[in-house]
Amino acid sequence: MYKCPRGTNKRDFFRRKLWEDYTLQQNTEALLKKDIGLIVAMSIVIGSVIGSGIFMKPGKVITAAGDSSMALWAWIIGGIITLASGLTIVELSVQIPKTGGLYVYLEEVYGKVWGYLCGWVQTLIYGPAVIAALGLFFGSLVAYFFDLPATWKIWIGLSTIAFLALVNSLGTKYGGFVQSVSTAGKLIPIAAIAVFGIWKGNGQILGMASGVTERSGMGAAILATLWAYDGWALVGFVAGEMKNPAKILPRAIIIGLSVVTVAYLSVNLAMMHVLPAADIAKLGENAAGTVATNLFGGIGGKIISVGIMVSIFGCLNGKILTFPRVPLAMAERGQLPLSGLLSKVHAGFGTPIFATLSQVILAVIMIFVGDPDRLSDIAIFAIYLFYIQAFAAVFILRKRNRSLSRSYSVPAYPLIPLVAILGSGFIIVSTIMNNPLDTLMALAITVVGLPMYWYLNRNPLMAADKNLSAD
């Protein structure tokens, strides 16, 4: 936050500062090197999506769907919704080629309030819930691997989150190193389980019951798959740094998500070929490790299990590295309580220590109030509330910019955007019906952002921002 010198007109002072910030932002966007090509963009899509879901969710999907055939359909439908969503978001990314992603799109199309609410939810719900869920998933695998009591997963998860928060606070180069190593490692267990499971397995795949008498339905099953597919939108964060976003973005989304969908289906087919669906449902988070042991023996199974843990560890590191950038950006604009503290960047390390700490504290609280599946469902529900707005924004921009030519258009318009909207709407409604308490809590936290926005809008900086925009 800026401090107005005594004897200076506050309105003139803040208007001048805002204009300086705006000019700096435009210069920064212009100076961003446009070095990202198709291969790098595809790597961002694949690397951002593949994390814990493919190893942690097969059991949850089978349990919710009721049998193996419906579970496979849930993975296919989840992939279709995700691909339609990605192709729709690309049009926004091309029409709004700015670094920042969802937050920027909503602010550009719907105004500052909706952009603020999106950032508010990402800061208070989505980011911390994702970090907490990944920490618990990792803790569960480590406890199972070393035959520790199940209660240890909480403390292992907490310790891992604290360690990675410290690593990323000491400098982005350290977090980046962890990310590079883990990204290469995460593909090994996927390829090993998929190839050898389909090759060596001899179990029946289709029509196998989950062994669970009460199932929550396809809505819950598809929601679980969307956790595994989540992360595709991160490629939009760097649209302003691509050589030719109109060509690269759609190709990266289509190829990247197609590769991910095939990989996920292959792993599920392999697991069902090795273990009965009822066993996968019963083992839950530990099903992938058991499949690896059955395929490769004790030592080989442990090596694959370590690869799975490396994948989740790297995914957690990536979230702790990137998620604090949202509260940091909001705090720099005075849009959060304690903005003066949250906007500070350590002079020596060059990292947003307090923004990172805020995400970790919220994640720790969530760890003690929810299991990982519950937290992942809350996270997906919260972010899809705003994804739907982004999908609808395509229709708004086409009407608003009807006289302008587009370098990229959603294929099969308006079918694909409608698939994204209707599919996401189905997930939202199903989540509310299956989990009303958690969704009500998420909606309440979202609504609380409105009075907070209005309260913070009373400060001179945001008031000047409003006046400057009006002028």
Side-chain angles (χ1 to χ4, degrees):
M1 296 292 290
Y2 299 114
K3 185 176 181 180
C4 181
R6 290 185 178 181
T8 304
N9 183 282
K10 286 187 176 181
R11 185 175 186 275
D12 291 342
F13 173 78
F14 286 112
R15 283 173 63 88
R16 186 173 67 254
K17 283 294 183 184
L18 280 162
W19 177 253
E20 292 173 358
D21 284 352
Y22 173 79
T23 304
L24 178 61
Q25 179 185 5
Q26 300 305 307
N27 290 337
T28 301
E29 291 284 347
L31 291 172
L32 285 173
K33 291 185 177 180
K34 298 184 182 296
D35 288 338
I36 297 179
L38 177 60
I39 300 298
V40 174
M42 274 180 15
S43 301
I44 292 173
V45 174
I46 296 172
S48 299
V49 171
I50 295 177
S52 67
I54 183 55
F55 307 115
M56 299 290 99
K57 291 297 186 177
K60 173 72 180 294
V61 175
I62 290 175
T63 300
D67 64 62
S68 58
S69 297
M70 295 305 293
L72 290 173
W73 273 113
W75 285 100
I76 293 171
I77 294 171
I80 291 172
I81 292 174
T82 304
L83 184 58
S85 302
L87 291 173
T88 303
I89 286 291
V90 168
E91 184 166 321
L92 289 185
S93 300
V94 172
Q95 292 200 55
I96 309 171
K98 295 182 179 180
T99 298
L102 189 62
Y103 178 97
V104 172
Y105 305 152
L106 297 188
E107 186 175 77
E108 288 279 331
V109 177
Y110 298 103
K112 291 184 177 296
V113 173
W114 285 109
Y116 170 83
L117 283 179
C118 178
W120 171 264
V121 168
Q122 286 179 295
T123 298
L124 267 70
I125 303 177
Y126 178 68
V130 170
I131 292 172
L134 288 171
L136 287 172
F137 281 139
F138 182 77
S140 177
L141 283 183
V142 172
Y144 181 77
F145 185 83
F146 291 104
D147 293 322
L148 300 173
T151 53
W152 281 47
K153 72 178 183 180
I154 292 178
W155 305 108
I156 295 170
L158 288 173
S159 301
T160 306
I161 290 171
F163 170 74
L164 289 176
L166 177 62
V167 169
N168 283 283
S169 295
L170 292 176
T172 54
K173 64 179 180 180
Y174 300 110
F177 174 76
V178 172
Q179 197 64 22
S180 299
V181 173
S182 61
T183 297
K186 73 172 61 178
L187 299 176
I188 296 174
I190 290 177
I193 291 175
V195 172
F196 285 92
I198 293 174
W199 175 26
K200 291 189 173 183
N202 56 9
Q204 183 177 336
I205 294 175
L206 300 177
M208 299 300 292
S210 66
V212 179
T213 55
E214 294 184 6
R215 66 176 196 171
S216 47
M218 282 296 286
I222 297 170
L223 177 67
T225 69
L226 291 179
W227 165 263
Y229 287 112
D230 190 44
W232 54 268
L234 292 179
V235 71
F237 279 46
V238 293
E241 299 163 67
M242 290 184 180
K243 296 176 181 177
N244 188 344
K247 290 185 177 180
I248 291 174
L249 260 176
R251 292 177 184 175
I253 290 286
I254 293 171
I255 298 173
L257 289 180
S258 296
V259 169
V260 170
T261 302
V262 170
Y264 284 3
L265 284 172
S266 300
V267 169
N268 275 274
L269 287 169
M271 291 178 67
M272 294 174 188
H273 210 25
V274 174
L275 289 179
D279 288 355
I280 296 174
K282 183 179 179 180
L283 287 166
E285 300 160 6
N286 301 311
T290 302
V291 169
T293 301
N294 288 354
L295 286 173
F296 306 106
I299 296 177
K302 287 186 179 297
I303 293 173
I304 298 300
S305 295
V306 169
I308 295 172
M309 287 187 281
V310 167
S311 173
I312 298 176
F313 185 82
C315 185
L316 177 58
N317 177 76
K319 306 305 184 188
I320 293 176
L321 174 66
T322 57
F323 282 166
R325 270 59 186 176
V326 175
L328 174 67
M330 295 186 71
E332 286 175 340
R333 301 168 69 175
Q335 293 184 328
L336 289 175
L338 303 175
S339 286
L341 185 65
L342 295 175
S343 63
K344 288 185 177 179
V345 176
H346 192 277
F349 302 141
T351 55
I353 290 180
F354 293 105
T356 301
L357 184 62
S358 70
Q359 295 289 278
V360 169
I361 291 174
L362 290 171
V364 168
I365 294 172
M366 290 186 178
I367 280 178
F368 285 104
V369 299
D371 64 78
D373 285 321
R374 179 184 175 191
L375 290 170
S376 62
D377 287 351
I378 292 172
I380 295 301
F381 172 80
I383 201 64
Y384 264 81
L385 290 173
F386 294 94
Y387 279 160
I388 290 177
Q389 288 183 279
F391 305 150
V394 169
F395 296 93
I396 296 173
L397 284 181
R398 287 215 178 186
K399 184 177 180 180
R400 185 183 299 174
N401 303 328
R402 64 179 63 181
S403 60
L404 302 178
S405 61
R406 292 182 302 273
S407 55
Y408 167 83
S409 298
V410 181
Y413 177 90
L415 178 60
I416 286 182
L418 287 175
V419 169
I421 293 171
L422 294 175
S424 302
F426 170 71
I427 294 304
I428 294 296
V429 173
S430 298
T431 310
I432 292 173
M433 293 176 64
N434 293 322
N435 200 350
L437 184 61
D438 288 340
T439 53
L440 182 62
M441 179 186 67
L443 290 171
I445 295 174
T446 303
V447 172
V448 167
L450 285 173
M452 182 61 66
Y453 174 83
W454 293 326
Y455 173 77
L456 294 173
N457 199 42
R458 294 168 60 248
N459 76 62
L461 179 59
M462 293 190 74
D465 182 24
K466 185 176 180 180
N467 292 332
L468 186 63
S469 299
D471 291 345

